[in-house]
Amino acid sequence: YNGHDRTFVAIAYEFDKVKDTTLIDSWVPTGNNPKFALPGPTTTSCPPTAVPGCSDALSTGTVAILPYTKELATPNKNHILTARVDHKLFKNNDLTLGFQFGRKRNARTTFTSTTRLDDALQIRNSDTEAYNVTDNHVFGARAVNQIRAQYSIFQPSYATNEPLAPVVIISYKNPITGSNQTLTAGNSTIGITGDATAFPQSRRETRYQIQDNFTYIAGSHSLKFGADIQRVRSKALGLGDATGTWRFANVGNFLSGTISSFVQNFGTQNDVTNTYWGVYGNDEFRAAKNLTISYGLRYERETAVKDGNNFGPRLGIAYSPFKDRKGVIRFGAGVFYNRALLRTIGDFIQNIGGNLVQFDTSTIGTSATDNRRVAIQNAIAAHFPSGFASPDDLKAVIAVGCSQVVGTPLAPCTTNLGFADNVSTTGNPNRTIEPGLKIPVSYQANIGFEHQVGKGWVFETNFTWNDTKNLWRDYNGNVPVLPAGYADWASWLITHPYQLSPTRSYTFFVGSTTDTSGLHIGSAAGATPCTTTTTNCFVNLNASNTSTTTPAVAVAGTNGNSTGGPIGIARAAIAQFRPNPNLAETSVIASIGRASYRGLIVEIRSRFRPLGHGFSATFRANYTLSKTMDDGLNNTSNAQINRIFQAEWARSLQDRRHRIAISGTLELPKWMGKLRFSPLFRYGSSAPFNLSNGGSDRNLNVVSNDRPN
């Protein structure tokens, strides 16, 4: 709209849909649990492939399961709407109002064939809304001010259509293949295999921001001052087992309501509020006709991290030593601070209420002296399919189950019942931070030279230096501590046999590296592998068998004498030396990482210019020689030796020593249609890589990233 050259409106809407399908290929019960309805079979006849007894069972009405196949539409749909209004309030003032709206539903998954039912397929969602306003005011020939503000809502999630529904998992044997499969219904809190970002979660992030920049010209000085204030609140709900996960050992148990296990996590939500503010001042002045100097200072602060010493000085110099002014030398240096990661802060610092309570019935004993599991599970199963609103509600049901235990249970009955009840006022104790956590800081400098060579050609070279410190790194805060007087865990283990139970013990030795089992009967040199009845098993710490399976305690009538794996047995033997023996791995974030970059760039380019006969072209070619070093690629990297990131210092996995890029534009004359071609050639040398040891954990620090010795 252009009524009086004062108001203009622009609106754009885009809809994008990528069609895709997922094949659900499963088996479902012919009967049903009245408390939880499943879809019926898609066929009421036996499959073409002969299934033993299927026809006879159909005639007598005793078929337990039949096929369920369905091609389900799983599209990726995006709606994007943007609107903008520009209005001249008066002569020296321009106002802009903006709005952005987005809705994304990506149901495309990596499940090409799945036994998850329709309602258990997960979807990536992203809802966004943003409102912004910008006001530019010119006070005269010397001063101008810009103020900007925004309010935005960002709601990403990775969940099913009903993320708060219960998770129902039913084990069954495929009648055709004979393989064991699981049917998942209701909800699913299991991420996509091989996708580290696909953990079930819903989040709502609101952001308020206001920013002001003021520029004033005073003689040869150009002064700039500004401030930026942002307040962000992120409320997240981790969906992993948060609504109750019900497992059934077989179809018959599902129909009768007999559970094999129940898991529920409480306190999985976190609420993070972070207020960021920064102020700066800068002066750029012409010290001479051929010399410009810029200097300034910026200060930044974030309330989520108690690190207040964040001053960032800046300096820039541009100098032309040539009389023809066709060349210039530039130098710049500064100190720059990173921003805190809200997800990391939420996980490690500010959980709502500071508590995480985890419950799992599979940790309740089933021995003659601890026979509570069945009775407690029966009491819990009476509440299927609803989860529990709080740990206290669940404990009340457990107390009912305890009253039904036959025999003499452990006293008191309600202790050690699958609860890892870690109540704390500082957040989840499994994920913490080291005192004095700092914001990562980068020290940067660049020196460059640019000169015009020939007609329309420019040569430029720059050298960049960057050192970054206080990068966040993750380590295990509950790794076993080696007793004094021993060089390593191997030397301790070979002198301390591990008594797993009254009927089983393990003796450690260092033997042949070609040993494929690592578990022997009779002696360290014995070739006969251990069995479930072996009372003393010899474990070769040097075996090629790197299994981390932990042996289960021998219990008559349940799991027998499980042998475990060499590394798993060794881990179990040293678990007593954990700082907190009641916990396994704990994650600690510390600002102990660093990285560096050195880069030399050489470039030659030409402006867009005619070549004759109606042809025109530009050209650019550059070469980069660089080196990037770090002690970990990101804040979830683990050191081979726990917390010793100094030993990880090496070429970064992102390092490319040589890079070449050649590009240009060729415009054809009118008689050839004014076509424009833009060729591009890029080359990069190979990246470094880590030599891993196949996921082994030879040093027994519970991180399977060991490299060959």
Side-chain angles (χ1 to χ4, degrees):
Y1 166 74
N2 186 359
H4 300 282
D5 288 337
R6 294 184 63 183
T7 307
F8 301 88
V9 180
I11 299 176
Y13 169 72
E14 177 182 344
F15 172 68
D16 198 23
K17 181 177 181 179
V18 179
K19 294 183 178 181
D20 199 357
T21 60
T22 288
L23 176 65
I24 298 176
D25 184 10
S26 185
W27 295 71
V28 295
T30 55
N32 219 327
N33 185 316
K35 294 183 177 181
F36 194 86
L38 295 176
T42 53
T43 177
T44 57
S45 60
C46 294
T49 304
V51 178
C54 181
S55 299
D56 295 337
L58 271 178
S59 63
T60 58
T62 59
V63 173
I65 56 175
L66 282 174
Y68 178 85
T69 58
K70 183 177 180 179
E71 190 176 83
L72 184 68
T74 53
N76 180 8
K77 296 189 293 186
N78 298 329
H79 298 267
I80 302 173
L81 173 67
T82 59
R84 171 172 168 163
V85 178
D86 292 287
H87 179 69
K88 184 177 288 294
L89 288 176
F90 40 86
K91 182 179 179 180
N92 294 328
N93 189 280
D94 296 314
L95 179 69
T96 298
L97 303 175
F99 171 67
Q100 293 87 37
F101 174 89
R103 292 292 184 268
K104 297 182 179 181
R105 301 287 183 270
N106 186 2
R108 301 178 70 192
T109 68
T110 58
F111 304 117
T112 55
S113 179
T114 178
T115 58
R116 300 186 188 199
L117 296 182
D118 312 26
D119 53 0
L121 291 178
Q122 293 161 316
I123 303 172
R124 292 181 187 273
N125 304 300
S126 180
D127 296 349
T128 58
E129 295 177 33
Y131 308 83
N132 58 76
V133 57
T134 301
D135 183 83
N136 293 298
H137 188 85
V138 179
F139 292 95
R142 295 179 178 272
V144 62
N145 187 78
Q146 181 188 76
I147 185 169
R148 301 189 296 177
Q150 73 160 328
Y151 168 71
S152 64
I153 303 172
F154 175 45
Q155 297 185 96
S157 66
Y158 180 70
T160 62
N161 281 324
E162 297 292 338
L164 299 182
V167 180
V168 179
I169 300 176
I170 306 169
S171 298
Y172 68 92
K173 178 170 287 188
N174 188 310
I176 297 178
T177 64
S179 61
N180 294 321
Q181 294 182 333
T182 56
L183 175 69
T184 304
N187 184 9
S188 178
T189 58
I190 304 172
I192 295 176
T193 302
D195 186 347
T197 65
F199 55 91
Q201 184 192 70
S202 63
R203 183 160 59 97
R204 177 183 172 90
E205 179 181 308
T206 56
R207 180 186 302 267
Y208 303 86
Q209 181 178 10
I210 184 168
Q211 186 181 87
D212 188 82
N213 296 282
F214 178 74
T215 302
Y216 183 76
I217 307 297
S220 59
H221 293 263
S222 177
L223 302 171
K224 295 183 179 181
F225 304 93
D228 184 5
I229 301 176
Q230 299 182 49
R231 182 174 177 83
V232 182
R233 183 174 184 179
S234 175
K235 301 181 69 174
L237 174 64
L239 297 173
D241 296 323
T243 59
T245 299
W246 306 83
R247 291 182 180 271
F248 298 88
N250 52 60
V251 171
N253 283 0
F254 168 72
L255 298 178
S256 65
T258 304
I259 63 174
S260 61
S261 71
F262 173 77
V263 179
Q264 186 170 357
N265 293 332
F266 303 89
T268 61
Q269 69 273 30
N270 60 64
D271 189 346
V272 182
T273 300
N274 184 35
T275 300
Y276 164 87
W277 60 272
V279 294
Y280 78 92
N282 193 81
D283 178 22
E284 181 179 304
F285 74 100
R286 294 287 297 273
K289 290 183 178 182
N290 62 343
L291 177 64
T292 301
I293 299 177
S294 175
Y295 59 92
L297 179 67
R298 184 179 184 92
Y299 177 77
E300 297 173 299
R301 184 74 172 88
E302 299 194 49
T303 58
V305 179
K306 296 179 180 179
D307 179 15
N309 186 24
N310 301 324
F311 291 94
R314 316 285 164 84
L315 174 65
I317 299 173
Y319 173 62
S320 179
F322 306 101
K323 292 182 179 180
D324 57 9
R325 303 292 173 82
K326 291 185 177 181
V328 62
I329 300 173
R330 297 187 180 92
F331 171 79
V335 179
F336 302 86
Y337 291 87
N338 204 344
R339 297 297 306 277
L341 300 175
L342 285 181
R343 180 183 296 172
T344 302
I345 292 173
D347 285 346
F348 289 83
I349 302 175
Q350 295 178 313
N351 291 350
I352 285 182
N355 62 67
L356 174 70
V357 178
Q358 300 171 318
F359 175 80
D360 186 351
T361 61
S362 64
T363 63
I364 301 175
T366 59
S367 68
T369 57
D370 191 6
N371 56 350
R372 302 165 293 171
R373 185 189 301 181
V374 173
I376 291 173
Q377 287 189 160
N378 289 340
I380 292 174
H383 290 257
F384 175 73
S386 301
F388 296 88
S390 69
D392 290 337
D393 292 344
L394 177 55
K395 289 178 180 179
V397 175
I398 291 174
V400 173
C402 283
S403 66
Q404 301 169 351
V405 174
V406 178
T408 305
L410 291 178
C413 180
T414 53
T415 61
N416 302 319
L417 288 171
F419 276 100
D421 195 347
N422 303 313
V423 179
S424 170
T425 58
T426 57
N428 178 2
N430 293 320
R431 312 192 76 179
T432 57
I433 63 169
E434 275 195 354
L437 187 72
K438 297 181 179 297
I439 296 292
V441 56
S442 178
Y443 303 89
Q444 303 180 21
N446 183 87
I447 185 168
F449 172 71
E450 180 180 346
H451 196 275
Q452 180 178 333
V453 290
K455 186 177 181 181
W457 290 87
V458 175
F459 170 81
E460 182 177 355
T461 182
N462 286 276
F463 178 77
T464 300
W465 176 89
N466 186 334
D467 269 358
T468 304
K469 299 181 179 179
N470 300 332
L471 288 167
W472 291 2
R473 295 287 182 255
D474 190 349
Y475 68 90
N476 181 4
N478 201 38
V479 69
V481 179
L482 182 68
Y486 294 92
D488 50 38
W489 281 116
S491 59
W492 184 89
L493 286 167
I494 60 178
T495 57
H496 293 78
Y498 174 44
Q499 190 70 39
L500 176 65
S501 70
T503 59
R504 192 174 192 84
S505 63
Y506 295 94
T507 301
F508 300 95
F509 70 99
V510 177
S512 170
T513 58
T514 60
D515 183 355
T516 57
S517 70
L519 306 174
H520 303 290
I521 291 177
S523 69
T528 305
C530 294
T531 67
T532 56
T533 60
T534 305
T535 57
N536 184 22
C537 183
F538 289 82
V539 182
N540 180 7
L541 296 173
N542 226 9
S544 58
N545 181 0
T546 59
S547 172
T548 59
T549 303
T550 302
V553 176
V555 178
T558 56
N559 54 19
N561 274 308
S562 178
T563 56
I567 290 179
I569 296 169
R571 282 179 173 178
I574 66 175
Q576 59 183 304
F577 295 104
R578 294 181 183 277
N580 187 345
N582 297 320
L583 298 177
E585 180 180 1
T586 62
S587 184
V588 183
I589 284 288
S591 47
I592 55 178
R594 62 191 183 108
S596 74
Y597 172 82
R598 307 287 186 268
L600 174 67
I601 303 176
V602 179
E603 178 179 294
I604 186 168
R605 61 182 181 271
S606 69
R607 294 192 298 268
F608 195 81
R609 61 195 187 97
L611 301 178
H613 304 288
F615 291 89
S616 301
T618 64
F619 176 81
R620 177 190 295 265
N622 62 55
Y623 165 72
T624 302
L625 173 66
S626 64
K627 184 178 182 181
T628 305
M629 303 281 289
D630 62 32
D631 55 14
L633 190 59
N634 51 47
N635 68 321
T636 60
S637 301
N638 292 109
Q640 177 178 247
I641 304 174
N642 191 54
R643 204 186 180 281
I644 309 299
F645 285 93
Q646 302 92 315
E648 303 297 308
W649 185 254
R651 287 179 62 193
S652 169
L653 295 179
Q654 296 176 326
D655 180 57
R656 305 294 186 273
R657 189 59 49 87
H658 305 279
R659 295 179 187 267
I660 297 174
I662 302 174
S663 62
T665 301
L666 175 64
E667 186 174 283
L668 305 184
K670 289 183 179 180
W671 58 272
M672 296 184 68
K674 295 290 286 187
L675 294 175
R676 179 172 291 183
F677 296 91
S678 299
L680 171 64
F681 170 80
R682 290 188 297 185
Y683 165 81
S685 57
S686 59
F689 60 92
N690 280 331
L691 287 172
S692 69
N693 203 24
S696 178
D697 181 27
R698 293 289 188 177
N699 60 12
L700 306 180
N701 67 349
V702 200
V703 179
S704 300
N705 63 348
D706 296 8
R707 297 184 291 269
N709 188 343

